[in-house]
Amino acid sequence: MNPRNVAIVFGKEVLDIVRDRRTLLFMVLLPIAIIPLLVLVLGKVTEAGIERLERTPSRVALLGERWAPVPVLELLRHLEDPEAAGRWLAAQLAGGAPHPFVAGLLMPDADAQPGLAGAPVGPRGGGTGEEQAGPVLERARRLRLLRVVALEVRSPVLARALAQAPAELLDPQALAPAPGGGSAAGPHAAAEPAPPAGGAEPAAAELSPALLARARQELCAEAAAAIEQGRLDAVLIFHPGFAEALERGYGARYTVLVDEAQDRSSIARNKIEALFERGARGVTRAQLVRAGLDPEVLQPVRGQVRNVGRERNLLALFLPYLVIIMCFSGALYPAIDLGAGEKERGTLETLLLTPARRSELVAGKFLVVLLAGLLAAALNVASLSLTLASGWAEARGIALVFEPLAAVLTVLLMVPTAAIFAALLLAISVYARSFREAQSYAVPLNFLVIVPAFFSMIPGFELDPILALVPVLNVTLALKEIWTGTVQAGMLALIFASTAAYAAVAILACAAWFRRESVLFRA
Amino acid sequence: MIEVRELSKIYRAGRGRRVVALERVSFTCRPGEVYGLLGPNGAGKTTALRVLATALAPSAGTAAIDGLDIAREPDAVRRRLGFLSATTGLYGRLTAREMVQYFGRLYGMSRAEVARRTAELFAALGMSGFADRRCDALSTGMKQKVGIARTLVHDPPVLILDEPTAGLDVLTARAIVELVRRCRAEGKCVLFSTHDMAEAQKLCDRIGILHRGRLWAEGTVAEILARAGTSELEEAFLRLTGAASEPAGEAGGTAAEAVAS
């Protein structure tokens, strides 16, 4: 092989490719842009979407209000606007001891360390309202917003049942989620024993159980329709005896009717559940205080974990997959252009008739494709590192460690991997008669690359001596371990050797392929 | 000088089928001579020229270019050959100059040699106006000239032109006609294929009639006309190949026909 001819072919192909805007797109722009695009834009968009849904008050219709404690109802009616909620909460505090359920909203988070998350606000402190107005407003601003709306009752059966026998209609057992169906009830509803229906009004005798059952069906159907049509996000039902049970300290029951398929309905459900959970903690706390116990007994055990090893490296998650994919797609376009492109343009024949040997032509073209794949992979790693280092990861408390040694090992492993891709793609490309044909051949190959690369993202899928011999998969797994810092030298050597061997076979096969008349001059 | 002896080429068409594209073809083309392979599509012209140009290996028989065997010394043969066909394309993103120089370099010429030769050819072909424009942006006629310059860059003593005027308009085809005439004047050996009888009659010193992979008649246009006893080359072609009486005929079934191996 004459290196002069290889260099001539290489130089011409580089010039040709650099002048092509499409290559620039796939080889340079895509690998650079895809990470920031994916991570930043997509992340921002979803965050913004969720935040918007969280900030918009969820519309909740109430049923069984007569069984709800007045402060809880009032609280619900003040949750539409954070300022209003703050003022109302501050007024409650200023007016002496608020209802324990309301006080629960002002308690610090359960998982927060005492003394760390700001002074606990609530009845224990017993301070004046003015002192606490600041933190209360601050906390109110973070409240999740709800708006109470009316449920339009259209079914006459349901209207009659609501008017004549609400206690029976809204019996928690009867409204329990259907077996096998999606849970529509709050987590507190089903688990606890039915409370004595102490405050229930006497049921109207003329409503038969069958009629009540139908009314309940109508209720669910109307709630579903109202949610689907966008008039409501959820229905909150206070069951008979709620207020008394809450006073007693246990057994208060509610049900939320939701449509899990609707995001806004799921969010409403989450907000309601969070609200009741906090309120319930307030009630428990008040009970403990009343019984003369320290509220800290709620947390008899407190554990903590401290990582003494290396930090979990976020790069290990993304990098192997992306590097492999980018390397492949970076090599794809030049490979097609250098093989099938020559056939399509009608330049291959004249090229083959020059005194340059086939091996020299293949070598020059192969090196260009190899370089394209490696360049795409390198740009991708650089872009990934910069994106993650730009504060995005830090802001989320995700560890990002860019280690020079890992980068060197990555390059070392990617060279033979890119060589396999380049040789295979070039072989496919020169066999195809046109660009389009080459692209259709490359699709299945693309899958063969994506699938093993994808395996590297599955937790617990680890290298062993057999997997170390599976092309592509071995490299992705090795890259993952390189970036988590757990790779073993022996395994790495085995993977490098096997990948280099596959690359050598692929290159030789590609060169032999280039000598076949039936490949070069396909009818 | 092209000497072709008993050249055969058989393609394997899959499932054990073979296609005989060339069957024991022999002819000679001397320096300063234009030899035309005349035949319809599928006669085996392209196969014959590709074998001579060393792109395809012959199945049997031999050929020599300037005394060099195409099978044994393909590299030396290629240095002596200029090859151009109607389907030959250009690298659209290279300029005309880069295109010609790339091939010059691959023919083993030094940078200085290539630069000198390119300037010479561009001047002779009237290409100076678009030498540094990308091939993408050239008209058909300009592209044709780039192709010609590429073919001649290493100053080959032997030219092989595969249907060089197919699909070209009259003006563009003129460039090819001039190329052929100039090469003959320079003492080069020009072998070209065509299915255009009038073109063959106009340009060729000698003609070989190729049909179904076999050479049916050879000689000057006058000789062939005399042998066929007609004044028209087209009529001569039909009479000499027996194509007029197709598909019957003992000769018709031999070549370019799929036969079980």
Side-chain angles (χ1 to χ4, degrees):
Chain A
M1 200 187 296
N2 182 352
R4 173 188 177 272
N5 285 346
V6 177
I8 290 170
V9 174
F10 180 86
K12 177 263 162 186
E13 298 294 6
V14 167
L15 179 68
D16 204 342
I17 269 182
V18 165
R19 286 189 186 161
D20 186 3
R21 283 199 202 94
R22 281 180 294 182
T23 348
L24 208 69
L25 182 74
F26 285 107
M27 223 168 70
V28 181
L29 225 58
L30 186 71
I32 293 181
I34 195 155
I35 304 295
L37 274 181
L38 273 179
V39 169
L40 296 182
V41 178
L42 212 67
K44 278 259 160 60
V45 166
T46 38
E47 273 172 30
I50 290 171
E51 204 178 280
R52 191 167 45 80
L53 281 173
E54 295 261 339
R55 280 226 185 112
T56 313
S58 297
R59 292 155 305 166
V60 179
L62 302 182
L63 278 181
E65 286 164 83
R66 72 183 72 182
W67 294 296
V70 174
V72 173
L73 277 181
E74 261 188 76
L75 169 67
L76 283 169
R77 292 187 201 288
H78 280 94
L79 280 178
E80 190 176 335
D81 169 64
E83 301 299 324
R87 279 195 302 275
W88 184 79
L89 284 171
Q92 293 289 305
L93 277 180
H99 190 282
F101 188 95
V102 175
L105 289 191
L106 301 170
M107 279 161 56
D109 292 319
D111 49 351
Q113 299 283 325
L116 281 182
V121 194
R124 184 164 71 158
T128 66
E130 275 79 67
E131 263 180 79
Q132 293 175 340
V136 167
L137 285 175
E138 182 52 41
R139 190 156 278 283
R141 219 161 275 133
R142 276 182 273 142
L143 278 177
R144 318 231 262 161
L145 305 177
L146 297 172
R147 180 196 300 156
V148 176
V149 296
L151 177 68
E152 238 179 278
V153 177
R154 290 172 183 178
S155 150
V157 176
L158 176 57
R160 194 173 145 213
L162 274 172
Q164 295 183 3
E168 293 192 331
L169 176 75
L170 301 180
D171 178 58
Q173 297 300 331
L175 271 172
S183 160
H188 315 288
E192 287 162 37
E201 281 134 76
E206 67 262 38
L207 286 177
S208 68
L211 200 74
L212 281 171
R214 209 184 119 203
R216 284 184 203 108
Q217 277 175 8
E218 302 268 351
L219 171 59
C220 292
E222 289 208 358
I227 294 170
E228 196 184 44
Q229 290 159 17
R231 288 181 273 129
L232 289 183
D233 299 319
V235 176
L236 170 59
I237 300 169
F238 290 97
H239 288 301
F242 186 96
E244 291 79 1
L246 199 65
E247 191 66 34
R248 190 171 61 239
Y250 65 89
R253 304 185 59 160
Y254 71 92
T255 294
V256 191
L257 304 182
V258 296
D259 178 353
E260 295 275 12
Q262 307 268 0
D263 283 345
R264 54 189 167 79
S265 192
S266 291
I267 284 173
R269 170 216 167 136
N270 291 342
K271 288 179 181 178
I272 292 168
E273 285 185 5
L275 182 78
F276 277 93
E277 205 184 302
R278 286 185 155 275
R281 272 200 286 131
V283 171
T284 310
R285 191 190 176 98
Q287 277 185 289
L288 292 171
V289 171
R290 218 185 303 152
L293 289 170
D294 190 321
E296 282 298 303
V297 300
L298 277 176
Q299 279 193 303
V301 178
R302 228 181 241 278
Q304 62 183 21
V305 176
R306 182 170 170 185
N307 182 16
V308 293
R310 56 172 70 233
E311 280 183 283
R312 195 178 146 75
N313 198 342
L314 183 74
L315 274 178
L317 199 66
F318 291 115
L319 188 130
Y321 180 74
L322 282 168
V323 161
I324 296 276
I325 301 295
M326 283 303 127
C327 178
F328 183 84
S329 60
L332 175 69
Y333 183 78
I336 291 178
D337 195 44
L338 266 55
E342 293 252 18
K343 269 195 191 175
E344 196 166 290
R345 281 187 293 260
T347 46
L348 183 64
E349 191 178 22
T350 43
L351 188 62
L352 295 174
L353 295 181
T354 63
R357 288 168 186 269
R358 300 282 158 87
S359 55
E360 292 159 3
L361 300 179
V362 179
K365 286 173 179 287
F366 166 80
L367 287 175
V368 174
V369 179
L370 176 71
L371 197 73
L374 286 176
L375 181 68
L379 287 172
N380 188 240
V381 175
S383 164
L384 180 66
S385 310
L386 285 177
T387 308
L388 294 181
S390 69
W392 180 85
E394 236 180 338
R396 283 159 187 76
I398 299 163
L400 169 85
V401 192
F402 186 83
E403 287 165 273
L405 177 65
V408 169
L409 289 176
T410 302
V411 171
L412 266 180
L413 270 184
M414 282 317 288
V415 170
T417 309
I420 296 177
F421 293 165
L424 288 180
L425 284 170
L426 205 54
I428 283 179
S429 169
V430 80
Y431 179 73
R433 275 166 291 211
S434 66
F435 249 85
R436 190 182 285 259
E437 199 183 331
Q439 273 165 338
S440 67
Y441 292 148
V443 169
L445 192 64
N446 203 352
F447 270 104
L448 285 181
V449 172
I450 287 177
V451 170
F454 187 74
F455 277 116
S456 76
M457 307 228 281
I458 298 174
F461 202 79
E462 277 172 15
L463 268 174
D464 62 39
I466 299 201
L467 287 179
L469 298 177
V470 180
V472 183
L473 181 59
N474 59 4
V475 173
T476 46
L477 291 174
L479 289 178
K480 186 177 165 186
E481 297 203 349
I482 284 172
W483 287 90
T484 46
T486 54
V487 74
Q488 292 162 335
M491 198 64 95
L492 199 60
L494 180 61
I495 290 171
F496 184 80
S498 67
T499 308
Y502 293 135
V505 170
I507 292 167
L508 290 176
C510 179
W513 196 237
F514 253 80
R515 288 192 198 96
R516 291 178 67 111
E517 282 175 13
S518 56
V519 170
L520 298 171
F521 297 98
R522 279 175 73 209
Chain B
M1 177 93 161
I2 304 173
E3 295 158 283
V4 183
R5 293 288 165 264
E6 304 275 306
L7 204 61
S8 296
K9 177 69 183 177
I10 295 160
Y11 292 115
R12 298 192 193 289
R15 288 190 304 250
R17 280 154 51 93
R18 305 188 310 162
V19 174
V20 181
L22 278 185
E23 194 182 2
R24 301 174 63 169
V25 169
S26 301
F27 63 88
T28 303
C29 175
R30 297 179 202 88
E33 184 180 55
V34 178
Y35 189 98
L37 274 181
L38 183 65
N41 292 332
K45 302 187 298 286
T46 296
T47 300
L49 298 190
R50 279 181 175 168
V51 170
L52 289 178
T54 74
L56 302 177
S59 306
T62 178
I65 307 288
D66 281 358
L68 299 161
D69 190 281
I70 54 165
R72 268 172 297 180
E73 292 170 278
D75 291 359
V77 165
R78 287 177 193 164
R79 272 177 228 285
R80 285 168 173 77
L81 281 182
F83 185 93
L84 181 69
S85 87
T87 57
T88 299
L90 307 172
Y91 298 114
R93 294 184 293 266
L94 296 192
T95 66
R97 193 189 304 279
E98 286 162 350
M99 173 84 201
V100 175
Q101 289 183 345
Y102 175 47
F103 279 89
R105 298 278 290 147
L106 285 179
Y107 275 100
M109 300 163 76
S110 71
R111 281 180 199 284
E113 253 181 302
V114 166
R116 188 187 48 76
R117 177 71 177 155
T118 308
E120 194 180 294
L121 281 169
F122 282 17
L125 292 166
M127 295 171 58
S128 311
F130 56 87
D132 295 308
R133 265 162 66 186
R134 285 197 193 185
C135 294
D136 270 345
L138 301 180
S139 71
T140 317
M142 293 171 178
K143 283 181 182 161
Q144 193 62 48
K145 286 186 175 178
V146 178
I148 291 171
R150 195 219 78 234
T151 312
L152 297 176
V153 66
H154 55 299
D155 199 13
V158 176
L159 247 72
I160 294 183
L161 311 175
D162 186 13
E163 303 243 12
T165 56
L168 297 183
D169 62 55
V170 188
L171 284 176
T172 327
R174 263 182 68 86
I176 300 288
V177 173
E178 280 164 21
L179 166 74
V180 170
R181 293 210 166 120
R182 195 173 57 233
C183 287
R184 173 165 53 189
E186 287 171 9
K188 291 184 198 298
C189 169
V190 182
L191 172 63
F192 87 91
S193 69
T194 182
H195 62 267
D196 184 339
M197 314 267 171
E199 188 177 72
Q201 204 159 2
K202 184 171 69 180
L203 279 174
C204 299
D205 301 312
R206 286 197 306 138
I207 288 172
I209 289 181
L210 197 67
H211 185 54
R212 300 196 161 192
R214 289 171 68 186
L215 203 62
W216 297 76
E218 204 193 5
T220 63
V221 175
E223 280 166 8
I224 284 176
L225 291 177
R227 224 181 106 187
T230 173
S231 60
E232 276 188 39
L233 198 54
E234 194 178 308
E235 184 60 26
F237 176 84
L238 292 174
R239 288 190 189 177
L240 290 171
T241 59
S245 55
E246 277 189 8
E250 68 289 6
T254 55
E257 210 45 11
V259 292
S261 57

